[in-house]
Amino acid sequence: IVVNALIFFASYNNFLKSQAVEIGWPLVRDVVNMFFIVVLLVSAFSTIIGYKEFHYTKVLPRLLLMAVLINFSKTLIGLMIDFSQVLMLTFVNAFKQAAGGNFVTALKLDGATKLRETPASDLNTYDLTQLLGASILAIVLLAVALTLVVIMTAFIAFRIVGLWLLIIMSPMAFFAWALPGKMQKAFSAFTDSFWSRLSTLLIAGPAMAFFLWLALAIAQGQKPFMETMGNNTELDSNAGSASFVSKVGTPSEIGTFIVAVVLMLQ
């Protein structure tokens, strides 16, 4: 269920047409357009009294340019989001097939509750300590996987809401750029925060999708991860005797799971 929620949020691509944006952005745009009158009046009085800081030759060209950008701010921010989404959805579409039960199979969690076959094929072959260890390992692996998926789902949902808010507030960010000298400094904290958050969310989405795709690709690989460390039969024999009795309890399977988890945490 949680994996399906992750796929649903990760596949979302309707930022500009969401109800919040369609209602909020025109309101902010209209309010910001009203402030242009105030800035023009201040510039006019400054020009009359000879105050060079707000002289019309410094204020008017920049203000007119930003007046155009403000009314197209939703489109401009939308283009940035679309570029980010193209990259993100490329990886999302690649690991969509690993959703639901296949996601569990990719991380080999289906083997966490299955015991390795024994020559006698008898449950009594394993003692209580081995079965308890295998059960604890299964709980840990399932808990780690579930926690990761919940965190990623929450992050993607937060990213969607965050981009909605940034689109709505985009007219104000462009307007702050158009303000002259000292007036612009008063809004510098807002503009810096706006562009910093926008760039972070635009980059974070594709980055998370890439590492998730890479983690699943590695986890679904045919060759065990630990095979890359060599084929020492004596080492494999010792490791096998010390490993858990579940199918996922071998060093190679646990190593693959750890690599996948570390990549997801990126």
Side-chain angles (χ1 to χ4, degrees), residues 108-139 243-250 253:
K108 307 183 187 302
L109 297 180
D110 55 333
T113 56
K114 296 179 181 178
L115 300 178
R116 295 201 301 269
E117 294 182 1
T118 62
S121 186
D122 187 2
L123 183 63
N124 295 327
T125 305
Y126 301 117
D127 58 34
L128 181 60
T129 303
Q130 290 176 314
L131 296 176
L132 181 60
S135 299
I136 294 175
L137 176 64
I139 293 173
S243 62
F244 295 90
V245 298
S246 58
K247 287 186 176 181
V248 78
T250 61
E253 299 291 349

Side-chain angles (χ1 to χ4, degrees), residues 49-114:
I49 64 177
Y51 185 62
K52 295 183 180 180
E53 183 70 22
F54 294 154
H55 196 272
Y56 80 93
T57 56
K58 294 183 177 180
V59 175
L60 196 58
R62 194 172 184 178
L63 202 64
L64 292 176
L65 175 61
M66 288 302 159
V68 176
L69 293 179
I70 283 170
N71 289 278
F72 289 95
S73 59
K74 184 172 75 170
T75 303
L76 294 174
I77 300 298
L79 289 175
M80 299 179 191
I81 294 175
D82 287 342
F83 179 76
S84 174
Q85 288 298 107
V86 168
L87 297 176
M88 181 175 177
L89 293 177
T90 299
F91 297 110
V92 171
N93 291 330
F95 66 73
K96 259 185 178 182
Q97 302 303 321
N102 291 333
F103 191 99
V104 174
T105 304
L107 290 179
K108 307 183 187 302
L109 297 180
D110 55 333
T113 56
K114 296 179 181 178

Side-chain angles (χ1 to χ4, degrees), residues 17 22 31 90 105 136 145 150-151 161 164 166 178 199 208 233-234 240 259:
K17 295 182 179 181
E22 289 187 340
V31 171
T90 299
T105 304
I136 294 175
V150 169
I151 291 174
V161 176
W164 284 350
L166 291 174
S199 60
M208 192 215 75
T233 56
E234 183 180 353
V259 170

